[in-house]
Amino acid sequence: MTTDDSKRMFAAERAQAYDHRVREAIPGYDALHQLSCMVFAEMTGGHGRALVVGAGTGVECIALAMACPGLALVGLDPAQEMLAVAERKVAEAGLAGRVRLYPSTVAELPTFEPFDAATLLLVLHFLADDGAKLELLTDIAKHLKPGAPLILADLFGPAWDEDWQAQLRTFWRHLQRAAGIDEDAIDKGFRHVDRDIHPVTEARLAELLEQAGFTPPRPYFRALCFGGWVTRRA
């Protein structure tokens, strides 16, 4: 997905509704973020400087800042409408001094002092495995200190047979129905997944991370076809 594509996808109205919608659509969304903060705090001691890639509406930055009082964060997102929501939330939370937000990709980020840690939650699956995934991971690695952790979560591709893939989608549909999402919206969501989402298997993810300069990923979260992993800058 290009920067322009991202900007179109998260236009102003969609940015305002994003937090509510994503919680309904993604299984275990809140648990994923809670666990990610716990893992992050444990691996960093809650101190230092962290890079948040795909800062979105600021939920992740605020959660990390609240969980780790000694942490300063730089959040990146190319969608300015999303960051406008994030900036308001960060200010309301009284965290403007510790959370800095930039309408930027990692590739556009100037070279600062290397970061102590980074997060990449629910971002990588938007990029095709045509070099774009590897490029993003490599760009992140360039901004991290050796040994710095990367907390990564994504919709990952199946290593299972087609019948079980279809069953997982059925489970996901039931979950969205239980959240009150109507059938048309669910169908629209699945069309979005089929058209715009590019999952890879865990084995392929490990290959990409190794090529980008990271250690083998260790899982910490599972919910249907969504997963979370911890890796470190080699």
XYZ file of all heavy atoms in Angstrom, residues 148-199:
432
model
N 17.605 -4.265 20.403
C 16.330 -3.613 20.709
C 15.162 -4.483 20.267
O 15.178 -5.062 19.174
C 16.255 -2.254 20.007
N 14.115 -4.602 21.093
C 12.969 -5.438 20.718
C 12.042 -4.753 19.719
O 11.881 -3.529 19.722
C 12.249 -5.655 22.051
C 12.593 -4.458 22.865
C 13.990 -4.065 22.462
N 11.445 -5.572 18.874
C 10.359 -5.159 17.984
C 9.144 -6.003 18.343
O 9.202 -7.234 18.297
C 10.729 -5.377 16.516
C 9.588 -5.217 15.498
C 9.078 -3.777 15.471
C 10.035 -5.660 14.101
N 8.048 -5.332 18.724
C 6.791 -6.003 19.023
C 5.931 -5.907 17.767
O 5.590 -4.819 17.324
C 6.063 -5.333 20.209
C 7.020 -5.093 21.372
C 4.873 -6.156 20.636
C 7.648 -6.322 21.944
N 5.603 -7.050 17.197
C 4.945 -7.101 15.889
C 3.660 -7.905 15.995
O 3.652 -8.977 16.596
C 5.899 -7.743 14.886
C 5.536 -7.799 13.415
C 6.808 -7.919 12.572
C 4.622 -8.984 13.081
N 2.576 -7.394 15.417
C 1.319 -8.140 15.335
C 0.758 -7.987 13.933
O 0.882 -6.928 13.318
C 0.321 -7.646 16.375
N 0.124 -9.060 13.452
C -0.331 -9.039 12.070
C -1.384 -10.123 11.840
O -1.489 -11.083 12.609
C 0.858 -9.287 11.132
C 0.877 -8.354 9.942
O 0.489 -7.191 10.097
O 1.281 -8.785 8.860
N -2.142 -9.957 10.756
C -2.951 -11.042 10.228
C -2.000 -11.928 9.443
O -1.371 -11.459 8.497
C -4.068 -10.491 9.338
C -5.128 -11.475 8.859
C -6.431 -10.729 8.569
C -4.696 -12.208 7.603
N -1.871 -13.173 9.872
C -0.870 -14.010 9.222
C -1.518 -15.067 8.353
O -2.651 -15.493 8.580
C 0.098 -14.636 10.241
C -0.506 -15.623 11.200
C -0.346 -16.985 11.005
C -1.203 -15.192 12.319
C -0.868 -17.901 11.904
C -1.727 -16.093 13.226
C -1.567 -17.457 13.019
N -0.799 -15.489 7.327
C -1.315 -16.409 6.333
C -1.352 -17.832 6.841
O -0.564 -18.223 7.691
N -2.276 -18.623 6.328
C -2.448 -19.987 6.811
C -1.380 -20.937 6.294
O -0.902 -20.819 5.179
C -3.812 -20.381 6.252
C -3.939 -19.565 4.996
C -3.235 -18.260 5.282
N -1.020 -21.857 7.152
C -0.198 -22.984 6.738
C -1.058 -24.242 6.813
O -0.561 -25.338 6.977
C 1.017 -23.111 7.656
N -2.384 -24.042 6.728
C -3.337 -25.123 6.901
C -4.014 -25.447 5.570
O -3.849 -24.745 4.582
C -4.398 -24.732 7.931
C -3.826 -23.992 9.099
C -3.015 -24.501 10.072
C -3.989 -22.603 9.409
N -2.666 -23.532 10.973
C -3.251 -22.356 10.597
C -4.688 -21.558 8.821
C -3.198 -21.103 11.195
C -4.635 -20.314 9.410
C -3.896 -20.094 10.583
N -4.841 -26.489 5.565
C -5.570 -26.847 4.351
C -6.704 -25.860 4.109
O -7.101 -25.099 4.995
C -6.105 -28.276 4.452
C -7.058 -28.454 5.624
O -8.165 -27.883 5.605
O -6.673 -29.149 6.594
N -7.233 -25.885 2.896
C -8.239 -24.892 2.495
C -9.514 -25.003 3.307
O -10.177 -23.993 3.579
C -8.539 -25.036 1.004
C -7.381 -24.622 0.109
C -7.750 -24.650 -1.362
O -8.937 -24.916 -1.669
O -6.864 -24.396 -2.196
N -9.901 -26.233 3.707
C -11.123 -26.396 4.497
C -11.006 -25.666 5.834
O -11.953 -25.019 6.291
C -11.403 -27.884 4.743
C -11.871 -28.597 3.480
O -12.302 -27.902 2.540
O -11.814 -29.840 3.450
N -9.822 -25.757 6.469
C -9.662 -25.088 7.759
C -9.552 -23.580 7.581
O -10.024 -22.802 8.411
C -8.448 -25.629 8.500
C -8.373 -25.110 9.913
C -7.403 -24.331 10.457
C -9.333 -25.312 10.959
N -7.685 -24.037 11.777
C -8.870 -24.627 12.104
C -10.547 -25.996 11.021
C -9.575 -24.615 13.306
C -11.253 -25.985 12.228
C -10.764 -25.301 13.346
N -8.990 -23.142 6.486
C -8.967 -21.709 6.186
C -10.391 -21.172 6.108
O -10.710 -20.118 6.658
C -8.250 -21.453 4.864
C -6.776 -21.785 4.862
C -6.168 -21.579 3.478
O -6.522 -20.629 2.781
N -5.271 -22.451 3.085
N -11.254 -21.909 5.403
C -12.648 -21.493 5.269
C -13.354 -21.510 6.624
O -14.174 -20.637 6.928
C -13.368 -22.407 4.283
N -13.021 -22.510 7.462
C -13.641 -22.591 8.778
C -13.249 -21.407 9.652
O -14.077 -20.846 10.377
C -13.234 -23.890 9.463
C -14.046 -24.204 10.715
C -15.495 -24.530 10.390
O -15.783 -25.529 9.734
N -16.411 -23.691 10.831
N -11.983 -21.005 9.581
C -11.535 -19.848 10.345
C -12.301 -18.591 9.929
O -12.666 -17.766 10.762
C -10.032 -19.641 10.157
C -9.101 -20.580 10.914
C -7.652 -20.287 10.553
C -9.301 -20.467 12.416
N -12.539 -18.466 8.636
C -13.296 -17.302 8.168
C -14.722 -17.346 8.703
O -15.290 -16.302 9.054
C -13.286 -17.242 6.638
C -14.065 -16.060 6.097
C -13.799 -15.801 4.634
N -12.460 -15.297 4.394
C -12.150 -14.452 3.413
N -13.088 -13.990 2.599
N -10.911 -14.053 3.248
N -15.300 -18.537 8.771
C -16.642 -18.673 9.336
C -16.657 -18.257 10.797
O -17.561 -17.535 11.242
C -17.128 -20.125 9.209
O -17.197 -20.480 7.821
C -18.509 -20.293 9.829
N -15.655 -18.701 11.560
C -15.561 -18.281 12.959
C -15.481 -16.762 13.059
O -16.113 -16.142 13.929
C -14.325 -18.887 13.626
C -14.331 -20.384 13.710
C -13.143 -21.091 13.763
C -15.522 -21.093 13.747
C -13.131 -22.468 13.845
C -15.529 -22.480 13.830
C -14.330 -23.163 13.884
N -14.675 -16.175 12.203
C -14.488 -14.721 12.215
C -15.806 -14.017 11.893
O -16.155 -13.003 12.507
C -13.392 -14.345 11.219
C -12.878 -12.944 11.340
C -13.221 -12.006 12.266
C -11.910 -12.313 10.495
N -12.539 -10.832 12.058
C -11.721 -10.993 10.973
C -11.173 -12.743 9.391
C -10.850 -10.101 10.372
C -10.296 -11.852 8.790
C -10.139 -10.552 9.276
N -16.575 -14.563 10.951
C -17.873 -13.992 10.603
C -18.811 -14.046 11.812
O -19.503 -13.069 12.131
C -18.480 -14.734 9.418
C -19.838 -14.199 8.965
C -20.369 -14.972 7.776
N -19.595 -14.689 6.582
C -19.842 -13.663 5.774
N -20.847 -12.816 6.035
N -19.107 -13.478 4.689
N -18.845 -15.191 12.510
C -19.692 -15.319 13.685
C -19.314 -14.296 14.754
O -20.180 -13.715 15.416
C -19.568 -16.731 14.270
C -20.213 -17.797 13.449
N -21.325 -17.587 12.679
C -19.891 -19.121 13.288
C -21.686 -18.702 12.073
N -20.814 -19.651 12.423
N -18.007 -14.091 14.929
C -17.533 -13.138 15.928
C -18.015 -11.730 15.610
O -18.438 -10.983 16.507
C -16.004 -13.170 15.988
C -15.356 -12.388 17.124
C -15.576 -13.103 18.449
C -13.865 -12.211 16.874
N -17.968 -11.354 14.342
C -18.413 -10.017 13.954
C -19.927 -9.873 14.089
O -20.423 -8.812 14.471
C -17.956 -9.727 12.521
C -16.442 -9.607 12.399
C -15.998 -9.328 10.985
O -16.152 -8.220 10.483
N -15.425 -10.338 10.330
N -20.652 -10.938 13.777
C -22.103 -10.895 13.994
C -22.418 -10.667 15.462
O -23.298 -9.881 15.817
C -22.726 -12.214 13.540
C -22.850 -12.393 12.046
C -23.328 -13.793 11.744
N -23.489 -14.043 10.314
C -23.511 -15.259 9.782
N -23.355 -16.330 10.562
N -23.654 -15.412 8.475
N -21.688 -11.375 16.337
C -21.923 -11.234 17.776
C -21.628 -9.819 18.248
O -22.200 -9.370 19.251
C -21.057 -12.237 18.535
N -20.746 -9.112 17.536
C -20.418 -7.732 17.890
C -21.443 -6.743 17.340
O -21.336 -5.540 17.575
C -19.032 -7.372 17.368
N -22.439 -7.251 16.594
C -23.490 -6.392 16.072
C -23.230 -5.826 14.694
O -23.939 -4.927 14.242
N -22.223 -6.328 13.992
C -21.926 -5.851 12.643
C -22.891 -6.526 11.671
O -23.075 -7.752 11.718
C -20.474 -6.175 12.254
C -19.509 -5.571 13.270
C -20.154 -5.669 10.856
C -18.050 -5.932 13.032
N -23.511 -5.739 10.781
C -24.481 -6.330 9.859
C -23.783 -7.077 8.736
O -22.583 -6.893 8.486
C -25.440 -5.264 9.313
C -24.750 -4.208 8.466
O -24.045 -4.568 7.513
O -24.935 -3.010 8.754
N -24.538 -7.919 8.042
C -23.961 -8.813 7.038
C -23.294 -8.053 5.889
O -22.238 -8.468 5.389
C -25.037 -9.751 6.476
C -25.548 -10.771 7.468
C -24.465 -11.747 7.927
O -23.616 -12.138 7.100
O -24.470 -12.110 9.115
N -23.900 -6.959 5.461
C -23.306 -6.186 4.365
C -21.932 -5.650 4.765
O -20.984 -5.680 3.966
C -24.219 -5.019 3.967
C -25.456 -5.486 3.212
O -25.457 -6.644 2.740
O -26.410 -4.700 3.107
N -21.827 -5.158 6.001
C -20.544 -4.631 6.465
C -19.513 -5.749 6.623
O -18.327 -5.557 6.327
C -20.727 -3.899 7.783
N -19.961 -6.924 7.083
C -19.043 -8.059 7.196
C -18.535 -8.465 5.827
O -17.336 -8.691 5.623
C -19.723 -9.244 7.899
C -20.044 -8.890 9.358
C -18.826 -10.485 7.841
C -20.878 -9.932 10.076
N -19.455 -8.559 4.859
C -19.048 -8.918 3.491
C -18.079 -7.886 2.921
O -17.097 -8.244 2.260
C -20.283 -9.024 2.593
C -21.139 -10.248 2.900
O -20.606 -11.206 3.505
O -22.332 -10.240 2.551
N -18.366 -6.623 3.172
C -17.468 -5.564 2.706
C -16.088 -5.713 3.335
O -15.054 -5.546 2.670
C -18.059 -4.198 3.052
C -17.215 -3.017 2.576
C -17.871 -1.689 2.931
C -17.027 -0.515 2.480
N -17.659 0.789 2.844
N -16.048 -6.069 4.612
C -14.782 -6.269 5.295
C -13.979 -7.412 4.705
O -12.759 -7.303 4.522
N -14.649 -8.501 4.382
C -13.946 -9.637 3.788
C -13.454 -9.318 2.376
O -12.379 -9.781 1.969
C -14.838 -10.879 3.773
C -14.894 -11.594 5.088
C -16.102 -11.886 5.692
C -13.726 -11.977 5.736
C -16.152 -12.548 6.907
C -13.758 -12.640 6.949
C -14.983 -12.926 7.542
N -14.219 -8.519 1.641
C -13.740 -8.087 0.322
C -12.485 -7.236 0.472
O -11.545 -7.339 -0.331
C -14.830 -7.306 -0.418
C -15.983 -8.175 -0.912
C -16.838 -7.436 -1.940
N -17.482 -6.243 -1.388
C -18.657 -6.241 -0.781
N -19.338 -7.376 -0.622
N -19.186 -5.117 -0.340
N -12.464 -6.397 1.509
C -11.267 -5.588 1.802
C -10.080 -6.494 2.120
O -8.965 -6.271 1.625
C -11.565 -4.649 2.964
C -10.356 -4.093 3.639
N -9.414 -3.326 2.997
C -9.930 -4.215 4.930
C -8.458 -2.983 3.855
N -8.745 -3.524 5.020
N -10.295 -7.517 2.916
C -9.220 -8.448 3.256
C -8.694 -9.122 1.993
O -7.477 -9.208 1.766
C -9.713 -9.505 4.266
C -8.691 -10.622 4.421
C -9.983 -8.846 5.619
N -9.606 -9.615 1.155
C -9.193 -10.322 -0.055
C -8.461 -9.419 -1.041
O -7.564 -9.860 -1.758
C -10.416 -10.944 -0.746
C -11.042 -12.053 0.077
O -10.320 -12.656 0.906
O -12.254 -12.319 -0.108
N -8.839 -8.143 -1.063
C -8.273 -7.212 -2.033
C -7.016 -6.518 -1.537
O -6.057 -6.340 -2.297
C -9.334 -6.156 -2.373
C -8.913 -5.129 -3.417
C -9.981 -4.066 -3.602
N -10.181 -3.273 -2.392
C -11.316 -3.251 -1.681
N -12.358 -3.971 -2.054
N -11.409 -2.504 -0.584
N -6.997 -6.124 -0.257
C -5.966 -5.200 0.231
C -5.003 -5.781 1.262
O -4.024 -5.122 1.608
C -6.631 -3.960 0.860
C -7.512 -3.207 -0.121
O -7.083 -3.055 -1.277
O -8.609 -2.775 0.273
N -5.282 -6.973 1.766
C -4.458 -7.549 2.822
C -3.584 -8.655 2.228
O -4.037 -9.453 1.419
C -5.322 -8.100 3.965
C -6.234 -7.004 4.513
C -4.448 -8.668 5.085
C -5.507 -5.785 5.043
N -2.319 -8.683 2.668
C -1.339 -9.601 2.079
C -0.632 -10.384 3.185
O 0.523 -10.120 3.519
C -0.318 -8.817 1.253
C -0.942 -7.896 0.251
N -1.395 -8.319 -0.978
C -1.215 -6.562 0.301
C -1.901 -7.305 -1.646
N -1.800 -6.232 -0.895
N -1.327 -11.360 3.778
C -0.708 -12.121 4.859
C 0.360 -13.073 4.338
O 0.333 -13.501 3.191
C -1.889 -12.902 5.449
C -2.836 -13.066 4.302
C -2.698 -11.816 3.479
